[in-house]
Amino acid sequence: PAEQNYRAELVGVFGCPVAENPTVVMQEAAFRAAGLNFRYLTVEVKPEDLEAAIRGMRAFNMRGVNLTIPHKVRVLAYLDEVEDDARLMGAVNTVYRRGDRLIGANTDGKGFLQSLREEAGTDPSGKRVVILGAGGAARAIGVELALAGAERITVVNRSAGRGRELVELLNRNTGVRAELAAWDAPYAVPAGTDVLINATSIGLYPDVAAKPELVYDTIGPGLIVCDAIPNPPDTAFLKEVRARGAKALDGLGMLVNQGAIGFTIWTGCAAPVAAMRRALLEEFKADG
Ligand code: NDP
């Protein structure tokens, strides 16, 4: 052959701990399916080494990286530009390169929105939403729902301070009407709610039998109920709401879609979403 190219395009994830992060499986499956010579590196970067790691990423001419615990917030200081929604959240989970500039984005909430539209067949515009939780996942989901025209968002969080921060962030920066609800007793989902989302870590492995404390009689047909927990995707919470006639949306779609958005940002190609979903499901089965 006239031309050989032994150089792969590099992307990856920086985190600490990072060894159990399965994203490499999903992204490498996508590169194979799309016939792209890309490598996804799972790199342990200690908290104090993030700035050096971002400089290293520039030096290696990497196309981009994902950020996970504990780097999502602090990385903003080392980037040339941050997309508006990610700046509102104050968190970046995806960095990409345009020329010699590094730009920060957040694909978590966008992945959720895509799931809601494609899998649950619902557009957030004009909807009344209840979000359980006010951490990173809840912030990402809340900001994207608000920017997509949700009418009302009720944040239900254990610690009022964190909940209030999210409510104020939404009211100050978006057109949504956001309010805080206390969570000191089982929460009754208000009549007229369109979408209920568990964005807490309740139900996360190994405590897979745990469910958010709700008045479950307030959940029924007509309500769309989503769980952000991706593994195992059919959580105890979703089983319960499905038995009550609600439409259930699992967190695997959110995880796959946020990865698919990252894939497209880095490669410029449409993402082989089915191959990505399959790879993750197989991986989750293998370790479960
Ligand atoms: P954070 O640690 O930032 O936030 C955790 C949230 O859960 C807080 O609001 C916390 O409340 C609440 N919480 C935890 N335990 C309890 C409890 N026992 N009772 C009531 N509330 C509780 O985590 P993240 O936001 O990053 O992650 C949350 C979940 O979302 C995780 O399960 C994660 O796996 C999932 N996730 C899924 C993604 C996907 O693509 N599917 C992407 C990102 C996250 P408080 O403020 O009071 O502490």
Side-chain angles (χ1 to χ4, degrees):
E3 261 185 64
Q4 281 289 9
N5 178 17
Y6 297 106
R7 185 184 73 84
E9 299 296 340
L10 300 179
V11 292
V13 57
F14 294 166
C16 187
V18 77
E20 71 287 356
N21 188 304
T23 309
V24 58
V25 173
M26 169 170 73
Q27 293 295 355
E28 293 268 344
F31 299 145
R32 275 194 303 279
L36 293 171
N37 187 19
F38 272 62
R39 290 281 82 77
Y40 189 97
L41 309 175
T42 300
V43 185
E44 184 173 279
V45 173
K46 297 204 183 79
E48 64 271 25
D49 291 331
L50 179 62
E51 182 173 13
I54 295 293
R55 271 205 307 277
M57 179 210 160
R58 291 181 196 265
F60 280 17
N61 201 28
M62 290 176 77
R63 290 276 186 118
V65 283
N66 288 134
L67 284 312
T68 186
I69 292 169
H71 301 312
K72 285 186 183 185
V73 174
R74 285 221 323 217
V75 74
L76 270 80
Y78 310 127
L79 303 175
D80 302 305
E81 207 175 302
V82 177
E83 292 186 355
D84 291 343
D85 55 344
R87 190 167 288 288
L88 273 188
M89 294 165 208
V92 159
N93 77 338
T94 304
V95 171
Y96 60 95
R97 174 190 287 277
R98 288 292 177 266
D100 57 5
R101 294 176 68 74
L102 292 186
I103 302 164
N106 198 309
T107 62
D108 277 340
K110 292 193 180 87
F112 171 80
L113 241 60
Q114 198 171 328
S115 267
L116 191 65
R117 290 192 171 116
E118 290 173 7
E119 292 175 55
T122 288
D123 193 274
S125 175
K127 295 297 189 302
R128 295 177 171 219
V129 183
V130 172
I131 302 178
L132 308 174
R139 284 171 86 90
I141 290 170
V143 165
E144 297 300 347
L145 283 171
L147 294 177
E151 182 192 304
R152 177 189 286 257
I153 294 179
T154 304
V155 174
V156 185
N157 199 53
R158 180 178 58 182
S159 68
R162 213 165 172 199
R164 198 170 302 117
E165 260 180 51
L166 175 52
V167 165
E168 282 170 7
L169 165 85
L170 293 173
N171 282 329
R172 214 179 304 122
N173 298 287
T174 75
V176 80
R177 272 193 303 153
E179 62 185 11
L180 181 67
W183 204 1
D184 41 21
Y187 178 76
V189 181
T193 301
D194 300 295
V195 182
L196 167 68
I197 303 153
N198 175 33
T200 72
S201 37
I202 300 170
L204 200 61
Y205 181 86
D207 199 5
V208 295
K211 285 178 289 190
E213 270 196 53
L214 302 174
V215 179
Y216 279 91
D217 286 344
T218 57
I219 293 172
L223 187 64
I224 295 173
V225 182
C226 319
D227 203 333
I229 290 174
N231 180 28
D234 199 20
T235 58
F237 176 52
L238 290 184
K239 287 195 176 99
E240 170 84 45
V241 300
R242 202 182 292 116
R244 291 171 181 277
K247 187 173 208 170
L249 184 67
D250 70 44
L252 185 66
M254 174 179 173
L255 185 61
V256 171
N257 287 329
Q258 64 81 21
I261 294 166
F263 175 97
T264 298
I265 290 175
W266 292 330
T267 66
C269 302
V273 180
M276 297 173 80
R277 188 180 179 91
R278 210 178 312 121
L280 258 190
L281 258 180
E282 268 164 34
E283 191 60 27
F284 287 163
K285 266 186 218 138
D287 71 20

